[in-house]
Amino acid sequence: MNAERNQLIREATDSLKLRDIWIHSNRLERDSIPRDLPDDLELMRQDKLGVKFDKERRKEAQTEIELLRVFVEPGIRLVVEHEGKEHILLTLEAEFLVVYEITGKLQEEALKAFADYNAVHNAWPFWRQFVFDAVQRSKLPHLDVPLFSGRC
């Protein structure tokens, strides 16, 4: 991470207060391997991570506050390829809403740097737990979700 981005994240961290994290939406779709596919095909994993944010003004206890709402959208797909065609065996996605109270003035670049790093870092343990629970309850093989490395 470069020094300018670190400074922007520090600036945002000093002016934001974590309020809440919850699952906004989720999706689990699975399919069985088509019967005509060979058994020795390699299973490929495709990971995704999207981040978007907006600001919202809200009145609480007769005071107007400003909130930063960050939507963290991780996902995993398991795919096999055969004769040039992809067969998606599993799609597991979630959208987490991470809400912060804005307590100071922040530039848009600081909000973006913070959303891309800190908000994802805050939501990541919830994603890992969601995958663990969904896989276990769906009787699917274990899927490893590594610790968040800070790269997105």
Side-chain angles (χ1 to χ4, degrees):
M1 208 177 329
N2 67 34
E4 181 183 349
R5 185 169 180 222
N6 282 340
Q7 180 56 38
L8 290 169
I9 291 171
R10 274 194 296 279
E11 175 186 324
T13 301
D14 291 342
S15 296
L16 292 169
K17 176 182 165 188
L18 179 62
R19 299 276 305 254
D20 209 349
I21 302 174
W22 67 84
I23 294 177
H24 189 260
S25 64
N26 65 72
R27 177 170 78 125
L28 185 150
E29 290 181 11
R30 66 181 185 182
D31 200 356
S32 58
I33 298 175
R35 292 181 185 181
D36 61 340
L37 295 181
D39 291 337
D40 62 346
L41 291 176
E42 182 181 344
L43 190 63
M44 296 177 292
R45 176 178 167 150
Q46 300 170 340
D47 292 283
K48 78 163 197 165
L49 179 60
V51 178
K52 58 187 177 188
F53 67 92
D54 62 24
K55 293 188 281 187
E56 173 188 330
R57 289 198 167 282
R58 183 182 295 169
K59 197 165 191 140
E60 285 187 5
Q62 301 186 0
T63 304
E64 190 169 292
I65 63 168
E66 189 171 26
L67 300 175
L68 172 65
R69 300 173 349 127
V70 183
F71 295 88
V72 178
E73 304 167 339
I76 298 170
R77 282 191 344 170
L78 298 179
V79 176
V80 293
E81 191 173 314
H82 180 62
E83 296 178 352
K85 184 176 178 188
E86 276 191 351
H87 299 275
I88 300 169
L89 305 179
L90 173 69
T91 301
L92 185 57
E93 298 174 331
E95 180 180 56
F96 295 91
L97 179 55
V98 188
V99 181
Y100 302 90
E101 182 176 347
I102 301 173
T103 60
K105 293 209 181 281
L106 287 170
Q107 56 183 314
E108 198 73 13
E109 296 82 17
L111 291 175
K112 178 164 180 21
F114 183 89
D116 286 344
Y117 181 75
N118 280 58
V120 175
H121 196 325
N122 292 153
W124 203 254
F126 293 83
W127 167 239
R128 294 180 80 217
Q129 185 64 48
F130 175 77
V131 170
F132 178 83
D133 289 343
V135 164
Q136 187 176 32
R137 291 171 191 253
S138 301
K139 304 289 187 208
L140 294 165
H142 174 76
L143 285 174
D144 183 45
V145 178
L147 295 174
F148 180 62
S149 67
R151 288 174 277 163
C152 49

